[in-house]
Each structure stands twice: as C-alpha cells, then as structure tokens.
Amino acid sequence: MKNTTLCYLLQGEQVLLLHRVKKENDLNHDKWIGIGGKFEECLLREAWEETGLTLTDYRYRGIVTFVSNEWEGEYMHLYTATGWTGALKECNEGVLEWVSREKMKELPQWEGDKIFFRLMEQQEAVFSLKLRYVGDALVEKALDGKAF
C-alpha cells in the first residue's frame, strides 16, 4: 500500500480542481480531482509544485483506503485548505480551474471522490473511508469500519 495526500482548496463556494489531462498513462486521466501526490513528498510540497501556492491554513480531514484489482493499494491522507499565499501557476499534470461546488457535481470524477467530498462537507470529525474498486467500478465502501 502506498501513502498519498489529496487536498481541496476552498474559496467561498468554489473549489480548486485539477483536470488530469497532461500525463501519459495517468490512472486519473480526464478526472477532476483535488491536488496532492505521494505522501513522502508531503502536502505542502505537492501543493506548491502543482499550484504555485504556499498553504498557510489547512486541516486534516481523514484517511481513505483504496483497494483495487488493478492498481496498487493506497492510503490517501485527505485535507482541505482555506488559506495560502502566492499566485496560481500552470500545472504540468493538468489544467487548474476554480469550479463552483454545484458545477463540480457534474464533472467526471471517481465515485469514491464524490463520497469523501460529501463527507467533508457534512461532518467535522476526521473519518476513515475504505473504497474497493473492480476496474473503474466502486463495488464496496465502508465508513469508520461499517459498510454503507
């Protein structure tokens, strides 16, 4: 299992999303996701590398465990951020765009991403979410150890 980070930058009713369209053989190709990457590169470095922004106010929201019949397992540490300095720069992994939370619901995303984003909006507590995929299909989900 690998450890990764994912962060959604929040500005009023908007969320900064990365439309993954630039990398070859990208597991997330054409999906709209938060920013992040490998855990050992850490949240702050990933945020700066992908956006040009230095996070000044961020919060740990939970851990998401991904299990798949096709990809390496993953523990993704999930954050939100509401404060930063700097200016957005071009990202070599995709196109950064501020998107309203309403429009976000209409964009191509992983089913599991929709679940954990909804959880972040509904609850204050840190959560643990397990998602199991077969191919691109979400076949099992459990919140804090309980299937739902």
Side-chain angles (χ1 to χ4, degrees):
M1 300 286 265
K2 64 181 174 181
N3 285 292
T4 64
T5 61
L6 187 72
C7 183
Y8 292 94
L9 278 67
L10 309 175
Q11 183 172 293
E13 286 301 309
Q14 293 193 314
V15 181
L16 184 64
L17 296 178
L18 176 60
H19 187 198
R20 296 288 293 246
V21 294
K22 293 185 179 179
K23 284 176 75 175
E24 296 272 331
N25 303 314
D26 187 351
L27 160 70
N28 293 303
H29 182 73
D30 206 30
K31 300 283 194 287
W32 292 77
I33 64 173
I35 61 164
K38 297 177 184 75
F39 191 72
E40 59 271 10
E41 294 173 350
C42 99
L43 171 67
L44 298 178
R45 179 176 165 187
E46 284 291 328
W48 185 83
E49 285 180 356
E50 292 183 12
T51 68
L53 303 175
T54 300
L55 301 184
T56 59
D57 186 13
Y58 53 94
R59 186 172 146 217
Y60 188 76
R61 303 305 302 274
I63 186 163
V64 181
T65 304
F66 292 100
V67 179
S68 169
N69 67 324
E70 294 183 9
W71 317 301
E72 178 182 7
E74 179 177 340
Y75 296 116
M76 183 185 69
H77 299 268
L78 186 61
Y79 295 81
T80 54
T82 55
W84 52 85
T85 60
L88 279 180
K89 68 174 187 172
E90 187 174 323
C91 179
N92 65 0
E93 296 184 21
V95 178
L96 291 166
E97 182 178 336
W98 287 104
V99 176
S100 74
R101 294 178 196 218
E102 245 347 273
K103 182 180 177 189
M104 180 179 173
K105 296 173 185 174
E106 302 167 11
L107 299 173
Q109 299 175 50
W110 293 101
E111 268 319 294
D113 290 24
K114 294 175 187 178
I115 293 169
F116 58 71
F117 193 84
R118 187 175 67 245
L119 288 169
M120 288 188 308
E121 291 195 313
Q122 292 174 347
Q123 65 185 46
E124 290 294 314
V126 172
F127 58 85
S128 173
L129 180 66
K130 179 182 178 183
L131 303 170
R132 186 169 68 85
Y133 284 88
V134 173
D136 286 354
L138 179 62
V139 297
E140 179 184 355
K141 54 191 178 187
L143 178 61
D144 296 327
K146 297 179 182 135
F148 68 101

